[in-house]
């Protein structure tokens, strides 16, 4: 078998059995191997940002890596923005990038570029296979790295794919990983026992149904507050689950939300920091004198740590805080932000996966959707817009039995709209809701936030995308996804009901 | 004035008066400055690949740089593929990338990334401004670098934009640049006088009407052959201009086209190299024993060198080779590649700018279009597909009085389809012709070329984009560009005639 086949067989044997791909000439032997190897599902994207974002969504839902297949430096470059988002989400990806044959690189052909240089900023693990005999072993090492929730970039020169290889390689045994630190749990318990105002700030693996239930008990027992980061890779939400607030995005709201805390206990979360810097406003959001204590870090077992913490504190199920949920009432009339939020909260079906890139429109979605049917809520961790439609695509590939609801602003959706085609091709069960406010609405607030003064006509022109208006029904139709446009709450509710009832991709344009 | 305003004023004073932009929060002070500074045209793109590709097209047509405005690392990342193409085309760009405020970078906020690391592979000049007082001077240095046909990346931390600056800066005086080497011209003359089979291989600045006319005289006088590279940034073509062949893309055709040459004289061109490596085929295309002589390099004045060479050789206007042009006859019936080529050759209007990313469909376009009205022909220099619709956009901004005809395969067009929206918004005179063969057709040839054997169902599935078919009329409508679909040569000719007659953006889907 050749190097490409040895790699595909190694991937399948290593449980990496989905490949999101946009291949070119240098990857043709990998593509050819798909016909000789059983067990690899290859999903085509028409743009590389779809490919890498889909791999992010897949990891978030399955907690194991998919692979990508990208065409040399520029193909990788097109995928970097969503690799950035995936890196910040701690999503593991076996990121495979073709390269010219080793002996061809120095001739500076048109597609030659510094692929390792391009990959390095987003890759925790990075290797160019030197020969066909190394490809399987390198692929296995990439799988091992990606299982540790990292981007592992494997660059595959064409001759290492077509030359004869030795066979497949086994993924190296996992090193024993720390579950959590008992000392850190006891330190957290000491803080919580002081009775001083304390925030339990959670993200990552802590935000499962079980992790949240434990946090609720701890809060009930000790009086601490529990919050999530502004953005979280995946959060269990909906009826019967402990509903927590997140730190607000807007710094003028974030600062008061944290101002009274004397301690912050971090459960995988970061010391809270402003998304952007603003003149004369702080970068760090905690108040002066607030002490920060890390209980778990990314990669540790936060739920086990929370179990231990609850045990040390004697926090029991009966201590869980009672919750006041918003009453959900079918909205009517104009498509206000509140009406949109309510309609979505009512429509989310049991076990749905909600991918949230709603930006300004969605700032009020959290309270009503806490009363929705149980679901998972995925957010953008790296701030590079165009994340949601690819992540929804990958999540739908990962979980074919779950409805995926992708909520996205029209500005964001344009970056990676090619996702819709892959959803149509694979008949993925994704409902995309595009909030067509026809602005980079968030930037209007940011313009004021950074103290840029009064907005003149030219500045306004750079933040408005209404000339011409985008016709999302036409764009969806162009890529084979049925769509409808709504302008009232009643129409929106009807469109959502239809989309939830029927499987397969749909798009709803919410004209605001 | 603040740093952002000092930069915008420096750009305008330095004759960089078009900015292709997709800004975010960290760039809001730059956007605000647009309202305080006269003379900067800011063109919004909804995806950064449109922005950077447009800057490439602008430089090719105006021979002076435009600027970009990109949002931090991921915004830059989305623009890298077309920066790669621009770099390989020797297009100068003042590539401006926002960054977090200097004091905010270390907090690792979501959008934080290694921006310099991302920029380095595509940038000949790279600098992060350290403070507001430096921004104007750094901007001026970036302009100077970009004027030398290079990518100059200036990274602008937000506080360097909003803090108080000292004023504008003048662009440093150009160092005296070599026009050409007299010795190299004389060496070329000696080679040409031997009478041995010699190829004059030209690209870049040599491919103007005047450069081609001089080459024709030299060929007539000495018997040498004149060819262009497979891909060239811009070539003067059409009736009354010396029509030259290019080295074929397909290696099995390229090798015989060069096999008889004893010498190759390079006029800006590269020693010819295969686009990709193929097993058991050479990377370098020249025959064994062929001597390569460089007459001019990129940045030298090739037309002046050709003038000198013609002078040394005594080649006069009367020596110019007579040419046999294809007779153009309006095609009828099926949309074969030949019929498509003929319809386009007839439709190209005087002084048009033709942007060619037609890949497989366009391989036969050169002979008939040599008989078209005089026009410029632009090609992809970096091989990263999705180049043409952005380059056409920038070319139309650069030359509002010229018709731009963008020819693109459906696979390629999907990478940067957001270009259509900018064309609609700016009412640019671009006719986009999408060849809808519903395949990554070139890869079917490449699959065989790299010796990947028989194509099975799964491999074929990765090269076919017909499930679902893309509806290009709907996609264009979705972005505000009128479109029609054609299935016969007559319909295509009618659609072309209409598109040429009416100004403004149009799209024609050629269903094959």
């Amino acid at each position: 078998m050749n190097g490409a086949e040895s790699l595909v067989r190694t991937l399948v044997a290593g449980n990496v059995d989905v490949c999101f791909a946009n291949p070119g000439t240098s990857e043709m032997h990998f593509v050819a191997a798909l016909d000789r190897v059983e067990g690899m599902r290859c999903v085509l994207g028409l743009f590389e940002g779809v490919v890498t974002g889909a791999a992010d969504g897949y990891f978030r839902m399955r907690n194991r890596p998919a692979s990508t297949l990208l065409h040399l430096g520029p193909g990788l470059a097109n995928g970097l923005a969503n690799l950035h988002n995936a890196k910040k989400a701690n999503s593991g990806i076996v990121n495979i990038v073709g390269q010219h044959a080793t002996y061809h690189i120095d001739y500076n052909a048109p597609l030659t570029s510094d692929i390792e240089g391009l990959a390095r900023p987003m890759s925790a693990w990075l290797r160019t296979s030197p020969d066909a005999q190394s490809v399987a072993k390198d692929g296995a090492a990439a799988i091992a790295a990606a299982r540790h929730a990292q981007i592992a970039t494997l660059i595959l020169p064409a001759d290492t794919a077509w030359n004869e290889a030795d066979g497949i390689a086994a993924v190296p045994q996992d090193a024993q990983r720390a579950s959590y630190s008992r000392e850190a749990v006891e330190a957290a318990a000491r803080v919580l026992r002081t009775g001083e105002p304390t925030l339990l700030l959670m993200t990552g693996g802590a935000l499962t149904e079980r992790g949240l239930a434990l946090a609720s008990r701890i809060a009930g027992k000790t009086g601490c507050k529990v919050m999530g980061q502004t953005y979280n890779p995946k959060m269990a939400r909906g009826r019967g689950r402990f509903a927590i607030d997140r730190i607000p995005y807007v710094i003028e709201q974030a600062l008061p939300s944290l101002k009274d805390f004397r301690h912050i206990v971090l459960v995988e979360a970061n010391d809270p920091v402003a998304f952007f810097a603003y003149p004369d406003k702080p970068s760090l959001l905690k108040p002066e004198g607030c002490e920060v204590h890390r209980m778990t870090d990314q990669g540790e077992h936060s739920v086990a740590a929370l179990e231990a913490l609850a045990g040390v504190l004697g926090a029991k199920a009966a201590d869980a805080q009672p919750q006041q949920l918003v009453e959900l009432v079918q909205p009517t009339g104009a498509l206000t932000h509140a009406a949109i939020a309510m309609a979505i909260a009512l429509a989310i079906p049991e076990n749905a996966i909600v991918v949230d890139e709603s930006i300004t429109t969605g700032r009020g979605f959290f309270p009503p959707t806490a009363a929705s049917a149980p679901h998972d809520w995925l957010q953008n961790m790296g701030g590079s817009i165009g994340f949601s439609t690819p992540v929804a695509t990958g999540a739908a590939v990962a979980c074919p039995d779950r409805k995926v609801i992708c909520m996205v602003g029209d500005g964001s959706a344009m970056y990676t709209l090619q996702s819709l085609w892959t959803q149509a091709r694979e008949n993925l069960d994704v409902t995309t809701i595009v909030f067509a406010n026809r602005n980079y609405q968030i930037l209007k607030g940011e313009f004021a936030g950074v103290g840029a003064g009064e907005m003149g006509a030219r500045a306004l022109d750079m933040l408005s995308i209404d000339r011409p208006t985008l016709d999302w029904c036409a764009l969806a139709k162009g890529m084979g996804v049925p769509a409808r446009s709504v302008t009232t709450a009643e129409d929106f509710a009807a469109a959502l009901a239809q989309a939830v009832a029927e499987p397969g991709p749909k798009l709803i344009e919410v004209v605001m």
Side-chain angles (χ1 to χ4, degrees), chain A residues 416-435:
Chain A
T416 45
L417 72 163
Q418 303 91 341
S419 307
L420 295 172
W421 183 83
T422 299
Q423 292 171 15
R425 179 177 169 100
E426 301 286 332
N427 193 31
L428 301 177
D429 198 6
V430 181
T431 297
T432 302
I433 307 170
V434 177
F435 301 110

Side-chain angles (χ1 to χ4, degrees), chain A residues 8-16 143 147 168-169 171:
Chain A
V8 176
R9 289 192 186 279
T10 296
L11 290 170
V12 173
N15 218 14
V16 177
I143 295 169
R147 285 182 184 165
I168 76 169
V171 179

